[in-house]
Amino acid sequence: MARSSSSKSSDAKRRPRSRRLLVLGAIAAAGASTAAYRRLSAASQAEKSLPSYDHDVSELGWGPIEEPAVHNVATPDGANLAVWDVGSGPTVVLPHCWGCSHAIWVPVARRLVESGHRVILYDQRGHAASSRGTAPLTVATLADDLAAVLIDRDVTDAVLSGHSMGGMTVMGFGTYRQAVLNERVRALVLVATAAAHVNAAAKQSSRVTAAFLGSPVITRALRTTNGYRFVRGVFGLNPVRAQMELTADTFAACNPAVRAGFFLGMSEMNLLISEPALSSIKVPTTVMVGSRDRLTIPHRAWEIVNEIEGARLVTLDKRGHMLPLEDPDAVTDEIIRAVKG
C-alpha cells in the first residue's frame, strides 16, 4: 500500500536530522564514552534553532594586529609544519585540537599578544597548512613535532597550552620528551583534554568509527549550508554561530585519512600508564574543562589533576569542549596566570 503524502513528508524531515546525528555521533566518539555519546546525540536532537551572531566573526581574527607570516619547520620524516610566531614578551605555545587548525586559538592568541606576550601557533601535521609526513599518527609523534617547533623557534621559559588533541600533544611531550620540557618550559595549561580513555569503545568499534571518519560523508555534510549544526554538541550553552562555522569548516578541510588516523592514535593513547607516566611531569600545571564538555568529559580532567603533582583544576560553568572559542577571556587569564607563576 502506498504511503500517504503526509507520511512521506514526515520521512523527508527526519532524514536530514538523522544525518546530522550520524555525523555528530562520529565526532563525539573521538572523546566520549558510550553514555556521553548518547547524551550528546540527545542534546543535538533537541536543538530546534540556533541564532546567528554574525557580528562576532571579527572575534575570530587578528583584529588590529597584523596577521603574522608563516614559517616552515621540517621534521625528520618529511613533514613541514606551518608555524606562526607573533608578538614579543614571555612565550606561549598553543597546539590545537584534532581535525581543526591554529585558527581555533586565534582569539586567545590575539589577547595574549595585546597583553605583551610572544605567541607561537602551528598547524598539527596533516592539518590545514602542515603536511602529513610518514611518521605514525600518534601522540608520541605529535610530541616530537612540538619539540621540533620549540627548538626551531629557540623557545625557552615558555608556557605550553594545548586544547583537546593539543593538550594530549603537550602531555605526550611532557612524558616522552622530558629533557626538552625541563630545558624550555616553565608551566602547562591543559584545555579540554584527556590523558587516556578517549574512546571507551572496543578496538574493533574504534576502527569502524575511524573508517567512517575517513569517508567523504562527514566532509560533505559539514560543507552544507547548515553544516555548522553538526558540531553544535561540542559547544556549551548559547553557542555562537560563527564559532560553530569555524569549527565545522576547519574539520571539513582536514584530510579524512588524517582525521581517521589520529582518532585511532588517540584511542590507543594511555599516558596514565605509559613509561614514563604522566605523573613524571613536575612543572606547574593548570587543567581547564567546561562543565558541559561531552567529548573530554570533566572526569577526564580529574584524572589528569590526580596524576600531576600540584595540578589545579579550573571548571568553566556552562561551557563545552571548544573553550578557546567559547571563553577566550577565561583561557587567556589562566595562561597569563601561568606565565606570572
Side-chain angles (χ1 to χ4, degrees):
M1 180 182 295
R3 289 182 294 175
S4 67
S5 60
S6 62
S7 175
K8 291 180 181 178
S9 175
S10 177
D11 285 351
K13 291 178 180 178
R14 283 196 294 267
R15 280 195 293 271
R17 173 165 291 175
S18 297
R19 287 196 296 270
R20 288 199 298 271
L21 293 178
L22 183 61
V23 173
L24 183 57
I27 296 172
S33 64
T34 302
Y37 165 82
R38 289 171 180 160
R39 290 195 298 271
L40 182 59
S41 296
S44 178
Q45 190 172 27
E47 192 69 33
K48 299 300 181 183
S49 63
L50 295 167
S52 174
Y53 297 97
D54 292 335
H55 62 277
D56 282 322
V57 172
S58 62
E59 269 289 290
L60 304 177
W62 286 99
I65 299 171
E66 183 178 353
E67 187 168 346
V70 63
H71 303 273
N72 287 307
V73 175
T75 67
D77 68 300
N80 283 299
L81 305 178
V83 180
W84 291 262
D85 191 339
V86 58
S88 61
T91 303
V92 178
V93 184
L94 302 172
H96 68 78
C97 55
W98 169 63
C100 293
S101 78
H102 76 283
I104 299 298
W105 272 116
V106 167
V108 171
R110 189 183 70 247
R111 286 164 168 79
L112 288 169
V113 172
E114 290 173 340
S115 61
H117 295 77
R118 175 194 182 194
V119 177
I120 295 177
L121 304 161
Y122 67 100
D123 287 338
Q124 303 262 33
R125 67 167 56 226
H127 292 69
S130 292
S131 61
R132 159 70 174 83
T134 59
L137 298 180
T138 64
V139 172
T141 296
L142 295 178
D144 290 340
D145 290 347
L146 176 53
V149 170
L150 297 183
I151 294 168
D152 180 89
R153 304 311 300 165
D154 194 23
V155 171
T156 57
D157 201 30
V159 169
L160 308 183
S161 183
H163 170 235
S164 193
M165 189 179 79
M168 299 169 202
T169 301
V170 171
M171 288 184 285
F173 172 76
T175 56
Y176 302 133
R177 302 300 300 270
Q178 285 189 2
V180 185
L181 174 84
N182 294 334
E183 179 185 356
R184 298 178 180 272
V185 177
R186 66 180 302 163
L188 310 179
V189 180
L190 306 172
V191 181
T193 190
H197 312 122
V198 172
N199 176 35
K203 185 173 183 178
Q204 184 58 38
S205 298
S206 294
R207 294 194 175 279
V208 171
T209 304
F212 181 63
L213 290 167
S215 77
V217 174
I218 287 180
T219 302
R220 288 199 301 265
L222 291 172
R223 285 177 171 163
T224 61
T225 301
N226 292 317
Y228 68 92
R229 293 177 180 270
F230 296 130
V231 301
R232 167 62 185 89
V234 301
F235 287 80
L237 293 180
N238 303 317
V240 175
R241 177 169 172 174
Q243 296 173 2
M244 292 187 290
E245 288 176 340
L246 173 64
T247 303
D249 290 347
T250 53
F251 199 85
C254 184
N255 185 312
V258 171
R259 292 195 307 242
F262 274 123
F263 173 78
L264 286 176
M266 291 186 293
S267 298
E268 295 166 357
M269 172 198 70
N270 191 335
L271 298 174
L272 302 177
I273 62 172
S274 62
E275 184 56 46
L278 191 64
S279 58
S280 63
I281 293 176
K282 301 303 180 185
V283 299
T285 300
T286 300
V287 182
M288 302 187 72
V289 67
S291 66
R292 298 176 67 88
D293 191 333
R294 298 295 186 260
L295 295 185
T296 50
I297 58 177
H299 178 69
R300 300 294 169 237
W302 274 112
E303 288 180 336
I304 300 169
V305 170
N306 290 336
E307 286 296 314
I308 301 178
E309 183 178 357
R312 53 186 289 269
L313 178 66
V314 175
T315 300
L316 300 184
D317 189 37
K318 300 179 182 179
R319 302 301 189 186
H321 185 67
M322 302 302 292
L323 297 184
L325 296 178
E326 294 182 71
D327 203 338
D329 287 330
V331 175
T332 301
D333 287 347
E334 291 301 330
I335 293 173
I336 292 175
R337 176 174 177 165
V339 169
K340 293 179 178 179

